[in-house]
Amino acid sequence: MKKRNQIQEQYKWKTSDIYANEDDLLKDIDYIKSHIEIIASYKGKLNNKNTILEFFDMEEKLDMIGEKVGAYLYLKHSENLETQKYVQLLNTVQSIETNLSVAGSYVQSELLNNGVEFLNELASDKDMANYKLDILELVRNKPHVLSEVENKV
């Protein structure tokens, strides 16, 4: 098998289209990490349209950045499986994502505490159009969502 330096440029991934340099990658990783506490700070506040919309927008942005970071790291790792640098960064990102998940573990039950009628109104609100399917899916899965107390166990 050929080594990466023996492959013509036209057959290589152009990861610089994703991140021009690693400083930009590290900034995005830090940005995601900085939102662990921010997500946790919304606990007890997801009870009105504006705050829920703000939260959903933030979550969407974090998801997009997370996908970008993940794609870049997997590509860079696949370029040379012997390089541990990207394995370590992948592990760091996975740890951050786990912490984000824990920080936001209250979200579904808190949204459901607002009542199905409120959530259906949100789903039909034009400002919430980007999140309509997510809201309806939450309502549909209500019987299977643990309460906050059950979730802690």
Side-chain angles (χ1 to χ4, degrees), residues 13-21 24 72 75-76 79:
W13 293 310
K14 194 170 178 189
T15 55
S16 62
D17 286 347
I18 302 172
Y19 285 106
N21 58 62
D24 292 342
Y72 179 84
L75 290 174
K76 293 302 278 184
E79 286 178 353

Side-chain angles (χ1 to χ4, degrees), residues 42-90:
Y42 276 83
K43 187 173 184 177
K45 299 176 184 171
L46 298 177
N47 52 19
N48 66 74
K49 178 187 125 178
N50 291 335
T51 304
I52 292 170
L53 180 59
E54 179 182 290
F55 183 84
F56 283 173
D57 286 345
M58 177 187 60
E59 248 190 347
E60 182 177 48
K61 183 175 180 180
L62 286 171
D63 286 345
M64 291 174 62
I65 293 171
E67 290 292 325
K68 181 180 174 184
V69 166
Y72 179 84
L73 290 175
Y74 280 111
L75 290 174
K76 293 302 278 184
H77 172 61
S78 296
E79 286 178 353
N80 184 349
L81 298 176
E82 295 174 5
T83 303
Q84 290 301 302
K85 173 182 179 177
Y86 297 107
V87 173
Q88 291 169 348
L89 281 172
L90 277 167

